[in-house]
Amino acid sequence: NTAGGGPTMTGTGMGRVPPGDAAVITLFEGQPRQFDDLSTSTTLAVSELAAHLLTLELAGLLEQRPGQWWIPA
């Protein structure tokens, strides 16, 4: 939901990603998400979640925005 002033989501395309990274992508459910919201939606440790998000960002599949918002690229 972007009612709180968060970024809007752009088109997505996952291609082939490792299962752990793919599981993180599914947390987005078609919406931009904040890091804290993502961390409460998974059983991953915060450090593991951060590592997956970074991997997905470096692969060009996610973008981090101000306020710890993450959106599919």
Side-chain angles (χ1 to χ4, degrees), residues 7-15 25 28-32 56 59-63 65 70-73:
T8 58
M9 189 171 142
T10 61
T12 62
M14 274 187 19
I25 286 280
F28 285 84
E29 300 175 345
Q31 298 293 323
L56 291 163
L61 298 171
L62 290 179
E63 295 178 14
R65 299 292 171 89
W70 288 88
I71 61 170

Side-chain angles (χ1 to χ4, degrees), residues 3-71:
T8 58
M9 189 171 142
T10 61
T12 62
M14 274 187 19
R16 289 183 49 158
V17 296
D21 294 340
V24 170
I25 286 280
T26 64
L27 296 173
F28 285 84
E29 300 175 345
Q31 298 293 323
R33 304 277 302 265
Q34 283 188 302
F35 185 85
D36 289 344
D37 183 38
L38 288 167
S39 70
T40 61
S41 299
T42 182
T43 58
L44 293 172
V46 171
S47 59
E48 290 177 289
L49 176 61
H52 285 294
L53 292 172
L54 177 59
T55 299
L56 291 163
E57 182 179 30
L58 293 173
L61 298 171
L62 290 179
E63 295 178 14
Q64 183 178 13
R65 299 292 171 89
Q68 293 188 333
W69 281 95
W70 288 88
I71 61 170

